Amino acid sequence: MIHNLLKGKKIVLASASPRRKELFKLMGLKYIQVSADVDESVFPQDHSNPRKFVLTQSSKKCKEIVSRMDHDCIVIAADTIVYHDKKILGKPYDEEEAEKFLRHLSGKTHQVYTGVTIFYKQNYISDVEKTYVTFKELSEKEIKEYIMTQEPIDKAGAYGIQGFGCQFVSKINGCYFNVMGFPINLFYNMLQNIKLKGQE
């Protein structure tokens, strides 16, 4: 299990996300949380490759933290985006953009991509998880009420599946935790591929 694989390791979560913090606690991990100094508001002009984008972003975050840390640490970074109609949706700039995102997702199926990068013993390993999420048709009243909760403002795609936003999700195909911002099963598989126990 993950807590056994990482037992005795100095773990650094390269993220300020409270959702990822919650999930790391759920996995029974002892770690330090350090925010990576990477601009998350810049998106490529070409939105056709969301997989490449989250891989690049998670790798940047991981490398930025590694540059500041003891190399005996295991550093874990992630980047999550919502993707719909060939457009990458990150965190909205303001309430107006959050409303725009929610109207865009209303009654449709979108994809959530998370790139995960792990640094351990001078090596980097990266992978991506994709989950399909279907929204119910949202009324203007529902969108306004949701914006008033302030939950959408710091969430990719302007919603949180673990909060009030769960009321809008009619169907999910794939990893639920990926939609929260960190695909736990993918992370587990990546750690097994690194063979942590065998590299002591």
Side-chain angles (χ1 to χ4, degrees):
M1 299 183 76
I2 291 171
H3 65 280
N4 287 328
L5 286 172
L6 294 178
K7 187 176 181 180
K9 304 288 190 300
K10 292 184 282 186
I11 305 167
V12 180
L13 171 58
S15 172
S17 166
R19 275 79 58 191
R20 292 183 185 128
K21 180 179 180 180
E22 181 184 340
L23 292 175
F24 268 54
K25 286 184 177 179
L26 183 69
M27 290 183 277
L29 301 179
K30 294 181 179 180
Y31 63 96
I32 62 169
Q33 191 171 14
V34 183
S35 180
D37 186 16
V38 172
D39 189 351
E40 296 189 66
S41 65
V42 178
F43 297 101
Q45 290 186 340
D46 180 7
H47 285 224
S48 65
N49 197 334
R51 179 184 177 87
K52 180 181 178 182
F53 177 74
V54 293
L55 280 173
T56 299
Q57 287 294 97
S58 68
S59 178
K60 282 181 181 178
K61 291 178 184 180
C62 193
K63 289 177 180 177
E64 200 279 323
I65 296 299
V66 167
S67 71
R68 296 192 262 146
M69 291 290 165
D70 182 335
H71 282 198
D72 286 337
C73 294
I74 177 165
V75 179
I76 301 135
D79 190 77
T80 301
I81 54 113
V82 167
Y83 190 68
H84 179 61
D85 198 21
K86 297 182 180 179
K87 289 187 179 180
I88 294 170
L89 306 181
K91 298 174 183 177
Y93 296 118
D94 52 28
E95 292 184 2
E96 184 178 348
E97 186 167 47
E99 288 185 25
K100 180 181 176 183
F101 284 2
L102 291 166
R103 290 190 191 101
H104 191 56
L105 299 177
S106 175
K108 301 184 180 80
T109 299
H110 61 270
Q111 298 89 50
V112 176
Y113 286 84
T114 300
V116 177
T117 298
I118 301 170
F119 170 86
Y120 182 64
K121 290 190 179 294
Q122 309 300 317
N123 294 309
Y124 290 90
I125 179 174
S126 297
D127 209 342
V128 178
E129 185 73 44
K130 178 171 72 170
T131 303
Y132 292 88
V133 180
T134 303
F135 264 29
K136 70 182 287 291
E137 290 280 354
L138 304 181
S139 67
E140 285 299 308
K141 182 174 182 289
E142 286 173 320
I143 291 173
K144 296 287 186 184
E145 287 182 346
Y146 186 43
I147 296 294
M148 286 177 65
T149 70
Q150 291 297 300
E151 183 176 272
I153 303 304
D154 70 337
K155 310 287 193 303
Y159 77 95
I161 195 169
Q162 75 287 351
F164 295 110
C166 67
Q167 300 168 67
F168 303 149
V169 176
S170 62
K171 185 179 179 182
I172 181 170
N173 183 2
C175 177
Y176 169 84
F177 297 109
N178 181 45
V179 188
M180 274 188 72
F182 196 80
I184 294 175
N185 182 250
L186 175 71
F187 179 51
Y188 185 31
N189 292 337
M190 291 171 73
L191 291 175
Q192 289 178 312
N193 288 336
I194 295 175
K195 298 180 181 177
L196 292 163
K197 291 295 184 183
Q199 294 190 22
E200 294 298 336

